[in-house]
Amino acid sequence: MDVISFKREYLSLSDRLYRVAYYILESESDAEDALQELYLKLWQMRDRLDEILTPEAYSIRLLKNICIDRIRTKSKIIFSDILPETEGDVPQDERIDSSQRLQKVLAAIKSLPDRQRQVLTLRMIEGRPYEEIVKITGLNYLTLRVVLSRAKKQLKGKL
């Protein structure tokens, strides 16, 4: 695919794609970064783009996957900040602090409503993908995202 075709078929979608990314990520800067990453991937595979029948649908699918990867990475970072480290030789007083912190996190998780606790555990502790959690819980994707978001907010408020 040449530059002119790329601009016409893919860059013209930038406003719609940005809105999709913003809807998923709920952040302007994250949406812009995801969109930039999408265009970089598309440009790197420009030789194969002529085979794509629906550039908009293909772009949205790629963008959704990029956004989900960003959410997963961000969730792991946030949750790892909450949990204490268990590696290496840690002084006794730090181990006590870590143990107390872990107990506080576990108590906060236990105090969540059942649905929030289940979704948070499946996603953050077990690391299961959204699609699997949807099947397990019977929630639709958007409801799952809302429940998880509320659980994280309540958990942060209790810590």
Side-chain angles (χ1 to χ4, degrees):
M1 175 172 282
D2 63 356
V3 174
I4 295 169
S5 298
F6 184 81
K7 285 181 180 179
R8 184 182 64 245
E9 292 184 34
Y10 290 93
L11 288 181
S12 64
L13 302 171
S14 64
D15 288 339
R16 278 182 254 159
L17 294 172
Y18 172 80
R19 286 192 302 269
V20 169
Y22 183 78
Y23 178 76
I24 295 171
L25 297 172
E26 302 171 345
S27 164
E28 289 180 17
S29 62
D30 289 344
E32 290 169 359
D33 290 345
L35 190 59
Q36 187 173 20
E37 185 177 339
L38 168 72
Y39 279 125
L40 180 62
K41 284 185 179 188
L42 288 171
W43 182 250
Q44 289 172 342
M45 58 186 291
R46 66 185 173 274
D47 297 336
R48 295 176 279 158
L49 291 180
D50 290 325
E51 302 167 9
I52 305 300
L53 299 176
T54 54
E56 183 176 5
Y58 184 74
S59 298
I60 289 172
R61 173 57 68 186
L62 277 177
L63 182 61
K64 178 185 170 200
N65 291 339
I66 289 169
C67 291
I68 289 172
D69 287 344
R70 286 175 171 269
I71 290 169
R72 283 182 183 149
T73 303
K74 193 174 186 179
S75 296
K76 287 179 183 176
I77 291 170
I78 290 170
F79 207 66
S80 66
D81 290 343
I82 295 171
L83 292 176
E85 294 180 19
T86 57
E87 298 178 23
D89 294 327
V90 180
Q92 180 70 23
D93 59 338
E94 287 183 30
R95 269 189 268 156
I96 292 170
D97 289 341
S98 294
S99 176
Q100 289 171 345
R101 189 171 178 192
L102 179 59
Q103 292 303 318
K104 189 174 181 181
V105 169
L106 293 175
I109 291 172
K110 285 181 181 178
S111 72
L112 292 173
D114 290 339
R115 187 193 301 183
Q116 288 180 2
R117 184 176 56 247
Q118 179 188 26
V119 168
L120 184 80
T121 302
L122 290 170
R123 180 73 184 141
M124 304 301 295
I125 296 174
E126 296 180 18
R128 295 186 187 221
Y130 287 106
E131 295 80 15
E132 190 175 332
I133 298 171
V134 165
K135 289 178 185 174
I136 292 171
T137 62
L139 300 171
N140 71 40
Y141 178 78
L142 293 177
T143 304
L144 170 66
R145 295 277 313 271
V146 169
V147 169
L148 184 59
S149 175
R150 289 179 181 164
K152 287 179 186 178
K153 186 181 273 187
Q154 282 191 17
L155 189 62
K156 285 181 183 178
K158 294 178 182 187
L159 296 177

